[in-house]
Amino acid sequence: MKIWTVANQKGGVGKTTTTVSLGGILALQGKRVLLIDTDPHASLTYYFGIDSEQLEVSVYDIFARGTQMASEEILQSLCPSTIENLDILPATMAIATLDRSMGHKSGMGLVLKKALAKISEHYDYAILDCPPVLGVLMVNALAASERILVPVQTEFLALKGLDRMMRTMELMQTSQSKAYQYTIIPTMYDKRTKASLEAYKSLLDTYGDKVWPGVIPVDTKFRDASLSQKVPVEYCPKSRGVYAYKALLDYLMQLD
């Protein structure tokens, strides 16, 4: 099972859209895909019409019970999506308490990695949607991943958020003696604006081949797909945003 984490320490840059878009395309290609919500806001969970407040089991239980949770129990906590081959490990607001209640315990940074190892034979891909703050949830998501996908809105303030994300990865690489593979994804690109053009050029100048050479354009179809609780490739398969994510997926598969 390949594990990708979608992360950035700035909100509103397209993390959840990237997660559901790539996951949906992979599932329609016949891959078995698990999407994991590690954000207390539960945007990914609500995207699929899952009421996080009504869940009996969620990603919180994996942290609360740790290694005691058997593979069968983890699989039973998953929610199916509207399309075949795509499952969701949902989040609840309870995970917002993890830093305070469990962040001090030893081994907490590898809980998610160990849990995913138990169910790895059931999926081809796992994609983790990450919260925008550094804490036990982001640490777990980064530690579990083989590649980090960093969506960056093509505007000046988002570039500052990217600086923080790069420093976080450097710190974790040092503490874990692990070199992260990462890809920066320019999102919400509008070729009509000077801000997008200059931000994209700045990304390429600063990060070089770590930047995907394509862009994810501004596309209102993403919002419509979310409203319909369908992955973009299911709701608007011929939209320019979906074409862009298909190109991104092809690129990522070549890297791996």
Side-chain angles (χ1 to χ4, degrees):
M1 178 173 68
K2 293 185 181 298
I3 304 174
W4 294 342
T5 289
V6 182
N8 193 328
Q9 285 177 260
K10 185 181 185 306
V13 296
K15 292 190 296 294
T16 300
T17 298
T18 296
T19 302
V20 299
S21 294
L22 293 176
I25 295 167
L26 283 165
L28 288 180
Q29 289 178 352
K31 302 293 192 296
R32 300 167 301 167
V33 183
L34 175 62
L35 303 184
I36 303 169
D37 196 346
T38 64
D39 190 340
H41 290 109
S43 297
L44 177 65
T45 300
Y46 284 117
Y47 188 104
F48 289 96
I50 302 166
D51 186 347
S52 69
E53 302 309 312
Q54 301 297 319
L55 294 170
E56 294 184 5
V57 185
S58 71
V59 71
Y60 174 82
D61 296 271
I62 289 176
F63 287 97
R65 297 179 58 193
T67 56
Q68 298 176 4
M69 202 166 185
S71 59
E72 293 79 10
E73 293 178 285
I74 297 173
L75 291 170
Q76 288 171 5
S77 69
L78 307 181
C79 299
S81 73
T82 56
I83 61 176
E84 191 177 358
N85 299 321
L86 185 66
D87 293 332
I88 319 299
L89 178 53
T92 63
M93 278 296 294
I95 59 174
T97 67
L98 288 175
D99 280 297
R100 185 177 68 252
S101 62
M102 302 179 193
H104 62 283
K105 294 183 179 180
S106 62
M108 280 301 293
L110 297 175
V111 171
L112 203 50
K113 181 177 183 178
K114 292 177 180 178
L116 291 177
K118 294 180 180 180
I119 60 172
S120 62
E121 65 184 38
H122 295 273
Y123 294 96
D124 301 304
Y125 286 84
I127 308 178
L128 289 74
D129 191 15
C130 219
V133 293
L134 179 59
V136 68
L137 291 162
M138 180 179 282
V139 167
N140 264 269
L142 295 180
S145 67
E146 297 167 359
R147 178 167 296 278
I148 301 168
L149 309 181
V150 189
V152 182
Q153 185 179 358
T154 46
E155 55 95 18
F156 177 72
L157 290 178
L159 299 188
K160 293 299 181 183
L162 177 60
D163 291 340
R164 291 194 297 274
M165 189 66 218
M166 292 299 107
R167 288 196 294 271
T168 294
M169 285 197 291
E170 288 172 7
L171 288 170
M172 287 194 61
Q173 283 180 158
T174 301
S175 65
Q176 296 183 354
S177 300
K178 173 183 177 180
Y180 286 115
Q181 300 298 318
Y182 67 92
T183 300
I184 296 169
I185 304 166
T187 61
M188 304 180 191
Y189 181 78
D190 188 344
K191 64 181 179 182
R192 300 169 299 178
T193 66
K194 183 178 179 181
S196 275
L197 293 169
E198 291 189 351
Y200 182 59
K201 183 179 184 301
S202 179
L203 281 175
L204 292 174
D205 290 344
T206 305
Y207 297 101
D209 61 2
K210 292 297 185 181
V211 181
W212 172 48
V215 295
I216 304 298
V218 172
D219 191 341
T220 57
K221 293 293 186 182
F222 289 141
R223 190 179 300 117
D224 295 339
S226 175
L227 186 63
S228 298
Q229 299 176 353
K230 293 182 178 180
V231 294
V233 70
E234 180 187 21
Y235 179 81
C236 49
K238 296 183 178 180
S239 68
R240 59 181 181 171
V242 169
Y243 278 121
Y245 273 113
K246 285 181 176 179
L248 171 62
L249 182 58
D250 289 342
Y251 177 82
L252 293 173
M253 285 181 159
Q254 290 174 6
L255 293 178
D256 292 340

